[in-house]
Amino acid sequence: MTSDLPPLSGTPTLEDVARVAGVSRATVSRVINGIRNVAPEIQEAVHRAIATTGYVPNRAARSLVTRRTGAVALVVSGAGDAKGGEPFESRVFADPFFGRVASGVVGFLRPRGIHPVLMLADSAQTREDVVSFLRQGSADGALVVSTHGEDPLPKLLVDAGVPAVLWARPARPIPISYVDLAHRAGAALAADHLVARGCRRVATISGPFDVPAAQDRLSGFQEAMAGHGHPYVPAVEGDFMPASGEAGMHRLMKEHPDIDGVFVANDLMAQGALLALRDLGRRVPEDVAVVGFDDSAAAACRPPLTTVRQPMEDMAAEMARLLLAHVADPGFRVTSVIVQPALVVRESA
């Protein structure tokens, strides 16, 4: 059909595609914009014609029809989250957790022609900037990773009617979809493993007490240890960064020098705990067994870290899937997805 047509000149247009496909311009527009009720054979002819002509759809014009931008905001949000004057963005980019989340999001969105826009929100002004960006239609919705239990951004997005999905259960009940891990179950895996190793004097370094995931890991570990006949587990609070793990381990060993096992609520703090034990001349795992949480790049330490794995890339991809479902159907119900953890045994315990 196409061999008798004259060659194209200049940049291919919608009319060129219609001429090569042998259909109307309106039909080509419906196919490109994903509008239903176009026969499969017609769709195939249009796609062949697009390939033949090299036509590239005008994203701006397409947005006018679909009311979608082909972009979503990936927001890392904290409320007053600077530690010791360290810039918020420095903490974000230093934590391998965020890299794995971004990898999962990009891996899911890129094959679908959708691009994430990274936004950092650590103040009232930057949170308002995020809400304005979304309300103005600069992105179709938001994937939100909160680093602080009192972060107001999730509720701001709900109140603004913006499609959004949250990493982890919000600290306070609000109608927003989220993806989370069964943190209590993960902490119980750590407790079971330490007890099975023969540890009898066990302690823990928790994350910030106001973060739901940290609360769940702490209570899950304490409850599991109580089930093993250990009603009291010494605990100190950290902030999910290595220095707090190191300081927490020093404090625990000073107050409870007979500790022979420790559960640390994330791998970065576990790195710090290992440094403290090395400074104190304690062998790992012979003197003190150490179990972390996340199975992040921080687990590649010395000795290699036994840790509870949360499949961050898969969870991030599930967040993106839920967000696209909300964008496609404004009536899509708020939902939650809870993922099960697994214990990864290495040399530290």
Side-chain angles (χ1 to χ4, degrees), residues 5-318:
L5 295 171
L8 300 173
S9 60
T11 302
T13 65
L14 206 65
E15 287 76 10
D16 294 325
V17 176
R19 179 168 53 86
V20 172
V23 298
S24 70
R25 185 185 187 281
T27 298
V28 173
S29 179
R30 286 199 300 272
V31 171
I32 289 173
N33 291 315
I35 298 173
R36 299 177 181 179
N37 302 323
V38 179
E41 61 272 17
I42 299 297
Q43 294 185 44
E44 185 178 348
V46 171
H47 287 305
R48 281 200 308 267
I50 290 173
T52 298
T53 60
Y55 174 73
V56 177
N58 183 308
R59 183 173 292 277
R62 185 176 179 182
S63 294
L64 292 174
V65 176
T66 64
R67 297 185 182 275
R68 298 180 194 170
T69 65
V72 300
L74 174 58
V75 187
V76 182
S77 178
D81 213 26
K83 303 291 182 181
E86 184 180 11
F88 179 62
E89 57 269 24
S90 297
R91 300 189 73 232
V92 169
F93 294 122
D95 191 336
F97 165 85
F98 297 108
R100 290 184 61 188
V101 171
S103 176
V105 168
V106 171
F108 183 86
L109 294 178
R110 184 165 54 185
R112 293 162 175 81
I114 299 172
H115 305 285
V117 178
L118 178 63
M119 305 186 75
L120 304 180
D122 63 335
S123 67
Q125 182 58 58
T126 52
R127 286 189 290 275
E128 284 299 326
D129 291 344
V130 169
V131 174
S132 296
F133 182 81
L134 292 160
R135 293 184 76 171
Q136 291 167 5
S138 300
D140 297 326
L143 300 165
V144 182
V145 181
S146 288
T147 65
H148 196 286
E150 295 302 315
D151 181 14
L153 181 60
K155 187 174 188 303
L156 291 174
L157 294 174
V158 169
D159 292 344
V162 173
V165 176
L166 189 61
W167 176 283
R169 185 183 84 246
R172 297 177 182 176
I174 55 174
I176 190 170
S177 291
Y178 66 85
V179 177
D180 204 353
L181 191 79
H183 296 281
R184 289 174 180 266
L189 291 175
D192 294 347
H193 183 71
L194 289 171
V195 170
R197 280 188 55 88
C199 296
R200 300 179 60 83
R201 295 167 296 280
V202 175
T204 184
I205 302 173
S206 85
F209 290 153
D210 64 342
V211 174
Q215 296 169 6
D216 288 349
R217 294 176 195 182
L218 176 60
S219 60
F221 185 73
Q222 291 172 327
E223 289 169 5
M225 289 303 299
H228 288 296
H230 299 265
Y232 172 66
V233 176
V236 296
E237 181 184 13
D239 64 3
F240 285 142
M241 298 303 286
S244 69
E246 185 174 7
M249 193 74 251
H250 274 290
R251 177 180 165 188
L252 284 172
M253 296 305 295
K254 180 179 180 180
E255 297 176 359
H256 309 276
D258 58 348
I259 287 171
D260 60 1
V262 61
F263 167 55
V264 189
N266 82 333
D267 295 343
L268 280 176
M269 290 195 301
Q271 274 190 341
L274 291 173
L275 287 175
L277 290 169
R278 192 176 304 142
D279 290 344
L280 294 168
R282 301 299 180 95
R283 298 170 302 164
V284 177
E286 293 86 354
D287 299 327
V288 182
V290 178
V291 178
F293 204 109
D294 284 341
D295 195 27
S296 67
C301 49
R302 191 180 62 172
L305 189 65
T306 292
T307 185
V308 177
R309 183 174 193 273
Q310 58 172 328
M312 298 179 200
E313 293 86 354
D314 294 342
M315 294 169 67
E318 182 63 17

